Amino acid sequence: MLKKDKKQKKFFRRKQQYEEEVVFDIHAEEEKDFEERTLEDGVPSVKDFIAPPSFERGFTDYMKVGEKYVRNFIMKGFPINVSVGWLDYLYNYDGDMDVVINIEPADERGALEELTAKITQYEAQLYNEQEKGSIKNITKLRNDIQRLYEQREKLENNYENLFYIQIGANLYADSLEELDKEWQKIDTKLKGRKIYMMPTYLRQDDGYKTVLPFGKTYVPDLFRNFNTGALTACFPFYNSEISHERGIMVGVNLTTSTPVLIDFYDRSKIVNSNMTIFGQSGSGKTFLTSLITMRSALRGVRTTIIDPENEYSPLTRALGGSLIRISPDSTQFINPFDVEEEYDDSLGREIVKLKDKISDNINLVAVMNGGLDNVQRAFISDAMAEMYDRFGINENPNSLYEETSYFDEERQEMIHGKIKKKMPIFSDFHNILTELVKDESDPRLTSLVKSLSIFKKGGIYDMFDQHTSEELQNFKDAPIVTFDVSQLEENVLRPIGMYVALSWAWEKFGKKNPEIKKRIICDEAWMLLNKNMAGVEFTAQFLENVSRRARKRNSGLLVASQNFLEFAESSNGKAVLTNAAVNIFLRQNSTDIDALQHVFHLSDGERNFLLQAQKGEFLLRMNGDSYVAYALPFEFEIEYISRANHQQTDDIDDLNRKGA
């Protein structure tokens, strides 16, 4: 931000004199017209509506307007950086106060010249400080010079414009004592935010008129320069409301204190049910995800959670859900080769999309093997197709079932019907792959068979070579199902476990029963995009596929993560972001903020807000609009949401105090 030069001050003085002359003539004509109209039809003018009954001037720092005491003040001191919501206290002051922002475009040529002069001045100071060896001053000057260079570059390339702004307010009270009291309260609050307001001493009448809706300033010497991003942050553009009729409360508008209600399954209001939640550790990400999950459950939304950190187990138990632990010593198993029928809109009937399932399984094997070349992929594809063929499974839904008869003791009669076939498991696939490869001399194929043997029964990672546990067959009826993969080794097995759980949840839950509202939550999804993980291209691709396919199945994918950079640097990750109708960002760290700002075209104000946000505060993007809100739990929700994790307990306590 720069100070105006003498030419600019002269410009404003001449502009003021000119406008006063013009305004005087207009007012004179208006008064004449008013008298005539009053005599003719008694119609008052606009000015008549806003004109007070009387003025008492002559006081140093206040005036009396009618029966009200008024103090005008203009903003003189500003924070180094301004962010979205920095003027909230003024906008939301619960007393009697008017606020105005006057804006004048700056002479950019003059601004560039002044920036260049300022850079030259600072560089000269830097040279002198380097001679003295003053480290503190050297660092500050270098940062200032860098900032000025960046600002000049933005102006030169028309990335930003420069404006002069003036922020003023009129504070009203019924007595002078009350006026002083309220002024002290406001002044203390604003100073805590590095905002300094100054009463217009001996100019209260000019300051007062400046705030009135005349569309002009009477104190033109009290302007300050702002760039485009800083100016944008001055406006309460984020005050727009989200209030869907059957929506769940995602949070409370930080500015208006009204509930943010989103119906994720109303296609007239939102294009899909996908959502992303990003926030650094301690920002309240897990808490917010839990809160949305619980409130969704109360509205009939069923949820499956892929939980790599064991953070959702208590919530799952509290809601009467099912908890599935995937670990080497677990007694619960899921079979990644399970196949389900699904409804095809184009055909108007149910089919088995076997090719899609085989493709998903190939990706699973690729993750297990740390990648596949074309030859290996071809052999695996053949082995998969042969495996399902031997089990009599094809695109016909009837191929998934077999006829059975049994005696019903209660009804005392024979029952004839269909039951689900035993599905093939990893051993079946591996045996067929071994058969196909045994006559081949290619070492890549023999190496593949050998490396995959550790996932067979008897191998060290055989928890994926099992039939699905009986108690999990009807898990879709539970309000919430959580797959806990926290006990799997982090660098190798955990991404595999997350992929297996996600794939199985999609097969058994996500694409079934389109009449039911469903959500799949993949927490810490960055693990599936981690470029240092072997086979990451396959896990990333599957995550993207689920995000694309969920909409037609009345499902939604909620991706939660600490690390935004993993998504920004991955083409699949970017696709997941663009396929989400709702994006929520809690406090971010300096590592991720640049990438986030670039991908979502955040203003500087939004950027600064995310760097400074308190626990539970978030920026929500939906339909191209931005909203600033915070999570607020009710007492009964606090009892339901996990207190097992101490950090999460702290988050809940902090948010509860904030809401109180």
Side-chain angles (χ1 to χ4, degrees):
M1 299 179 182
L2 310 171
K3 295 181 179 178
K4 298 194 300 290
D5 57 22
K6 293 181 179 180
K7 292 182 179 179
Q8 291 164 332
K9 289 182 179 179
K10 290 180 180 178
F11 166 78
F12 277 108
R13 290 196 191 100
R14 289 196 300 270
K15 184 173 183 295
Q16 180 194 17
Q17 293 171 358
Y18 172 76
E19 288 179 343
E20 284 178 344
E21 294 173 358
V22 174
V23 170
F24 176 81
D25 293 339
I26 292 174
H27 284 186
E29 291 297 320
E30 190 175 323
E31 288 177 2
K32 181 180 178 181
D33 291 344
F34 169 72
E35 292 174 358
E36 294 175 355
R37 286 191 288 102
T38 301
L39 292 173
E40 293 176 2
D41 51 20
V43 178
S45 68
V46 173
K47 195 174 71 173
D48 188 61
F49 283 112
I50 64 174
S54 63
F55 289 93
E56 289 187 36
R57 302 175 177 175
F59 307 108
T60 304
D61 60 351
Y62 73 94
M63 60 189 297
K64 193 173 182 184
V65 181
E67 298 299 319
K68 291 283 187 178
Y69 290 82
V70 185
R71 176 164 291 140
N72 172 264
F73 48 92
I74 303 292
M75 193 172 296
K76 289 284 290 183
F78 296 75
I80 297 176
N81 295 302
V82 296
S83 59
V84 175
W86 75 290
L87 292 176
D88 282 356
Y89 183 76
L90 285 180
Y91 297 148
N92 297 326
Y93 174 70
D94 57 4
D96 194 355
M97 183 166 64
D98 298 325
V99 181
V100 70
I101 302 177
N102 291 312
I103 305 168
E104 293 283 351
D107 177 9
E108 293 191 8
R109 182 176 178 181
L112 286 171
E113 292 176 354
E114 188 172 348
L115 278 169
T116 302
K118 184 67 73 174
I119 291 171
T120 303
Q121 177 188 342
Y122 278 22
E123 287 178 339
Q125 292 179 14
L126 176 61
Y127 178 79
N128 292 332
E129 294 297 333
Q130 288 173 332
E131 291 290 318
K132 298 177 184 178
S134 178
I135 302 300
K136 181 180 179 181
N137 291 339
I138 289 174
T139 303
K140 183 179 183 304
L141 283 168
R142 283 175 176 170
N143 292 336
D144 289 341
I145 292 170
Q146 179 64 29
R147 176 176 55 81
L148 290 171
Y149 269 115
E150 291 174 356
Q151 190 170 352
R152 189 176 69 175
E153 183 181 1
K154 290 179 179 178
L155 288 176
E156 289 175 336
N157 294 298
N158 292 320
Y159 294 148
E160 285 191 346
N161 295 315
L162 200 64
F163 301 86
Y164 290 108
I165 76 162
Q166 180 184 77
I167 302 174
N170 288 334
L171 177 65
Y172 301 84
D174 294 326
S175 67
L176 184 58
E177 292 76 13
E178 183 185 349
L179 183 68
D180 289 336
K181 181 181 177 181
E182 288 300 306
W183 162 246
Q184 286 298 325
K185 184 170 70 173
I186 293 171
D187 189 45
T188 301
K189 188 74 174 182
L190 293 177
K191 284 180 178 177
R193 301 186 177 191
K194 308 299 182 186
I195 301 171
Y196 300 93
M197 305 292 286
M198 181 192 73
T200 48
Y201 293 104
L202 303 176
R203 304 171 67 185
Q204 283 289 302
D205 52 345
D206 288 335
Y208 174 77
K209 289 188 295 181
T210 294
V211 178
L212 294 180
F214 290 153
K216 62 168 293 185
T217 180
Y218 292 86
V219 283
D221 55 310
L222 300 180
F223 276 75
R224 178 67 178 266
N225 64 300
F226 267 50
N227 59 25
T228 304
L231 177 61
T232 302
C234 294
F235 293 96
F237 65 92
Y238 47 86
N239 279 358
S240 53
E241 306 288 354
I242 309 177
S243 185
H244 298 171
E245 183 178 353
R246 297 185 57 81
I248 66 160
M249 190 173 79
V250 176
V252 175
N253 192 302
L254 195 60
T255 304
T256 64
S257 298
T258 57
V260 177
L261 303 172
I262 301 178
D263 187 346
F264 291 92
Y265 300 89
D266 185 347
R267 294 293 172 262
S268 67
K269 296 191 172 54
I270 192 168
V271 295
N272 61 53
S273 307
N274 295 341
M275 177 172 33
T276 66
I277 300 178
F278 292 94
Q280 70 178 64
S281 179
S283 63
K285 171 178 65 68
T286 301
F287 172 78
L288 179 60
T289 305
S290 299
L291 200 61
I292 292 173
T293 300
M294 183 170 61
R295 290 172 177 173
S296 297
L298 296 175
R299 298 303 299 266
V301 179
R302 294 176 181 171
T303 302
T304 297
I305 303 176
I306 315 301
D307 183 9
E309 303 291 346
N310 190 26
E311 295 178 301
Y312 298 93
S313 298
L315 176 66
T316 304
R317 296 191 193 94
L319 293 177
S322 300
L323 181 62
I324 304 169
R325 299 192 186 277
I326 302 177
S327 68
D329 58 353
S330 176
T331 59
Q332 297 173 307
F333 306 103
I334 58 175
N335 178 15
F337 294 94
D338 282 349
V339 187
E340 293 286 335
E341 67 271 42
E342 60 181 294
Y343 189 81
D344 188 286
D345 293 326
S346 60
L347 298 175
R349 57 182 175 86
E350 288 196 330
I351 66 168
V352 177
K353 294 189 177 181
L354 195 58
K355 290 182 179 179
D356 289 347
K357 183 60 183 178
I358 290 175
S359 177
D360 293 342
N361 286 342
I362 292 173
N363 288 346
L364 170 62
V365 175
V367 176
M368 290 175 168
N369 192 59
L372 294 172
D373 61 29
N374 291 335
V375 174
Q376 292 171 329
R377 176 178 283 273
F379 268 82
I380 288 173
S381 179
D382 290 342
M384 292 282 183
E386 177 67 20
M387 176 188 68
Y388 285 115
D389 184 64
R390 290 186 185 184
F391 277 76
I393 296 172
N394 51 51
E395 292 191 347
N396 188 337
N398 291 327
S399 68
L400 302 179
Y401 299 87
E402 59 186 11
E403 297 288 339
T404 185
S405 298
Y406 64 94
F407 185 77
D408 190 317
E409 293 287 348
E410 184 176 344
R411 298 168 59 178
Q412 290 294 301
E413 61 179 351
M414 290 293 297
I415 303 296
H416 304 277
K418 294 180 179 180
I419 61 170
K420 201 72 172 287
K421 286 181 179 178
K422 280 283 188 182
M423 292 288 116
I425 58 176
F426 189 86
S427 288
D428 298 312
F429 157 72
H430 193 269
N431 291 337
I432 294 174
L433 181 65
T434 304
E435 291 178 20
L436 295 177
V437 173
K438 70 179 179 178
D439 295 329
E440 298 291 331
S441 59
D442 193 330
R444 294 173 296 178
L445 298 177
T446 54
S447 175
L448 173 66
V449 171
K450 186 176 180 179
S451 67
L452 293 177
S453 63
I454 61 175
F455 296 98
K456 284 184 62 178
K457 285 183 179 179
I460 59 174
Y461 301 144
D462 65 354
M463 76 283 296
F464 305 116
D465 190 19
Q466 308 284 344
H467 289 286
T468 300
S469 301
E470 194 66 32
E471 70 269 21
L472 304 181
Q473 294 293 342
N474 296 317
F475 84 103
K476 59 182 177 292
D477 296 326
I480 178 173
V481 178
T482 296
F483 294 91
D484 177 11
V485 297
S486 62
Q487 298 180 43
L488 296 176
E489 192 273 323
E490 185 173 350
N491 295 323
V492 179
L493 280 185
R494 194 174 299 178
I496 296 175
M498 291 179 67
Y499 183 97
V500 170
L502 181 61
S503 175
W504 195 81
W506 172 248
E507 188 72 25
K508 290 281 191 175
F509 175 74
K511 71 182 189 181
K512 301 284 288 183
N513 303 314
E515 74 280 359
I516 298 174
K517 299 174 182 177
K518 306 177 292 293
R519 177 178 292 124
I520 298 176
I521 298 176
C522 188
D523 198 17
E524 300 304 344
W526 65 268
M527 295 183 183
L528 299 178
L529 302 170
N530 188 354
K531 57 188 176 184
N532 296 320
M533 182 189 74
V536 63
E537 63 269 27
F538 305 103
T539 57
Q541 181 62 55
F542 186 74
L543 192 67
E544 179 189 346
N545 289 342
V546 173
S547 73
R548 293 184 184 277
R549 293 150 70 180
R551 182 181 183 276
K552 291 184 177 181
R553 303 293 179 264
N554 206 21
S555 296
L557 176 67
L558 192 162
V559 168
S561 179
Q562 293 184 26
N563 301 342
F564 181 82
L565 205 58
E566 301 285 357
F567 285 80
E569 294 178 346
S570 164
S571 59
N572 302 117
K574 288 181 179 178
V576 171
L577 297 175
T578 56
N579 282 322
V582 176
N583 302 107
I584 293 176
F585 309 108
L586 296 104
R587 186 173 66 246
Q588 301 293 312
N589 56 44
S590 56
T591 305
D592 290 332
I593 192 64
D594 289 338
L596 198 154
Q597 183 177 22
H598 175 73
V599 172
F600 284 93
H601 307 289
L602 301 182
S603 68
D604 288 342
E606 291 171 323
R607 172 194 173 100
N608 292 331
F609 169 80
L610 293 177
L611 289 172
Q612 303 168 17
Q614 301 298 308
K615 281 183 181 178
E617 294 180 348
F618 58 87
L619 175 72
L620 188 150
R621 297 292 295 269
M622 189 179 80
N623 296 332
D625 296 323
S626 296
Y627 309 84
V628 179
Y630 65 93
L632 179 64
F634 298 102
E635 291 186 8
F636 78 92
E637 292 173 321
I638 295 174
E639 297 299 321
Y640 272 79
I641 296 179
S642 169
R643 287 182 172 268
N645 182 289
H646 293 298
Q647 182 60 56
Q648 194 167 349
T649 300
D650 294 341
D651 290 348
I652 293 170
D653 291 341
D654 288 348
L655 291 167
N656 195 40
R657 286 192 293 270
K658 181 183 181 82

